[in-house]
């Protein structure tokens, strides 16, 4: 259907505005003097940061249609960023209904590199359906951003790297280069470009990545340089990862998220995040070269004085490690069944799915070589 002319200086709604990419997107938009309505769950230091930047902060329930209707009043464009939760499809359905009623002109949606109809991950299947829903209103243009494994995921275990010299994740062979992880900031740069110049980016799909494929050993070495100590990679089982997250939960911890992370770790070991990576989308769309992983870690270390080494902190890290060993794991399949997750008869990982392979750049043989 024919679309209306785009606004020159539109007001932009940013959902999940206190989250990893939402916060950076809102701040970058304000830096460029775009009017921003930032949707958050609660007021905290992040909402205060947004207000200082000049954003209109709105505390609301993103899953409630009346709240989302109110959030979209007077805005012309939006960043659709579903929270990491088992009800992401509900969020996206509410967002899409409200966007339809508000007659938004353009939306940038955060999708997923793995997005496919028959994936073992419920979260991933929900993203796939959400991508279909958001594109159904012909008068509204859409730009899709589908990053893979974020650099931020590695930072979940940075405390252990800092105090015990170990980077432990279930990523498989430490020498194989399997990911070019983008920073939250670089993902946001692509999102902001698409929000502010909708004419140029309508209908496009972008996959922001880091500048180069890295192995787990490369990641451990970069952490070590940023921390000023030697860090070694230790491949662990998914069972151990689950125990570690249960014993020392990150801020966004949930049993549902852990079950999905285990499936994504399997995709990691299969090399799915290496397919077609790295891309030039951060430089070409976002306007600057993507950040090396070491730069990302150094920034994080500067923001966290608690990562500096001391006897007390090392002792605390050892206590956390002991707690992990003593924590009882939970069965991932049983956890999904207990939460009444929708299950499918014959799920298919991304590279085994003909439809997924048909829509993604083939994996170059050279990228499977051992470093």
């Amino acid at each position: 259907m024919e679309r209306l002319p785009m606004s020159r200086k539109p007001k932009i709604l940013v959902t999940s505005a206190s989250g990893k990419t939402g916060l950076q997107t809102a701040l970058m938009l304000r830096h460029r003097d775009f009017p921003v309505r930032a949707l958050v769950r609660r007021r905290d230091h992040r909402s205060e940061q947004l207000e200082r930047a000049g954003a209109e902060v709105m505390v609301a329930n993103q899953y409630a249609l009346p709240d989302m209707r109110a959030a979209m009043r007077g805005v012309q464009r939006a960043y659709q960023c579903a929270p990491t939760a088992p009800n992401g499809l509900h969020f996206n359905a509410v967002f899409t209904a409200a966007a339809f009623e508000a007659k938004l002109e353009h939306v940038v949606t955060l999708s997923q590199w793995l997005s496919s109809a028959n994936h073992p991950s419920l979260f991933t299947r929900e993203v796939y359906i959400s991508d279909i829903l958001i594109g159904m209103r012909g008068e509204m243009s859409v730009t899709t951003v589908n990053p893979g494994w974020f650099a931020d995921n590695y930072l979940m275990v940075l405390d252990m790297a800092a105090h015990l010299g170990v980077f432990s994740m279930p990523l498989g062979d430490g020498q194989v280069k399997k990911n070019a992880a983008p920073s939250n900031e670089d993902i946001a740069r692509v999102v902001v470009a698409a929000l502010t110049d909708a004419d140029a980016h309508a209908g496009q799909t972008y996959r922001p990545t880091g500048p180069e494929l890295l192995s787990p050993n490369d990641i451990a070495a970069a952490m070590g340089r940023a921390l000023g100590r030697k860090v070694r990679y230790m491949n662990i089982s998914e069972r151990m990862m689950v125990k570690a997250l249960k014993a020392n939960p990150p801020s966004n911890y949930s049993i549902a998220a852990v079950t999905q992370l285990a499936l994504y770790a399997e995709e990691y070991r299969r090399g799915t995040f290496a397919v077609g990576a790295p891309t030039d989308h951060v430089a070409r769309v976002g306007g600057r070269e993507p950040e090396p992983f070491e730069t990302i870690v150094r920034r994080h270390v500067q923001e966290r004085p608690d990562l500096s080494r001391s006897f007390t902190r090392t002792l605390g890290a050892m206590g956390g490690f002991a707690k992990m060993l003593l924590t009882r794991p939970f069965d991932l399949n049983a956890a999904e069944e207990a939460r009444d997750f929708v299950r499918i008869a014959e799920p298919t990982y991304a590279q085994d799915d003909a439809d997924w392979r048909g829509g993604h750049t083939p994996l170059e043989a050279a990228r499977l070589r051992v470093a």
Side-chain angles (χ1 to χ4, degrees), residues 9 24-34 36 53-54 192:
K9 200 78 167 180
Q24 297 302 324
T25 295
L27 292 175
M28 289 179 192
L29 286 169
R30 285 301 305 140
H31 183 72
R32 297 177 63 171
D33 204 31
F34 277 81
V36 172
V192 167

Side-chain angles (χ1 to χ4, degrees), residues 65-94:
L65 184 56
D67 283 14
M68 194 62 82
R69 282 169 169 164
M72 289 192 183
R73 290 191 191 112
V75 303
Q76 290 78 48
R77 301 180 191 176
Y79 176 38
Q80 179 194 33
C81 179
T84 303
N87 44 13
L89 180 59
H90 182 83
F91 164 84
N92 286 329
V94 167

Side-chain angles (χ1 to χ4, degrees), residues 148-160:
W149 186 285
F150 287 30
D152 200 81
N153 291 343
Y154 301 123
L155 302 182
M156 290 191 297
V157 296
L158 191 57
D159 291 69
M160 185 175 289

Side-chain angles (χ1 to χ4, degrees), residues 142-201:
V142 177
T143 302
T144 302
V145 179
N146 62 352
W149 186 285
F150 287 30
D152 200 81
N153 291 343
Y154 301 123
L155 302 182
M156 290 191 297
V157 296
L158 191 57
D159 291 69
M160 185 175 289
H163 302 303
L164 299 181
V166 176
F167 162 56
S168 56
M169 275 191 165
L171 306 180
D173 189 327
Q175 299 186 75
V176 180
K177 298 181 184 294
K178 290 186 175 179
N179 190 33
S183 68
N184 297 335
E185 289 78 3
D186 280 341
I187 296 169
R189 288 183 181 98
V190 175
V191 171
V192 167
L195 283 168
T196 56
D197 190 356
D199 286 324
H201 302 292

Side-chain angles (χ1 to χ4, degrees), residues 280-294:
D280 66 350
H281 295 176
V282 173
R284 180 163 55 85
V285 180
R288 57 168 285 176
E289 293 298 320
E291 297 182 286
F293 179 68
E294 184 177 335

Side-chain angles (χ1 to χ4, degrees), residues 339-358:
R339 297 184 66 84
D340 196 26
F341 273 20
V342 175
R343 312 299 288 272
I344 55 179
E346 297 181 1
T348 307
Y349 282 100
Q351 292 188 81
D352 296 330
D353 186 320
D355 289 339
W356 189 91
R357 292 197 309 271

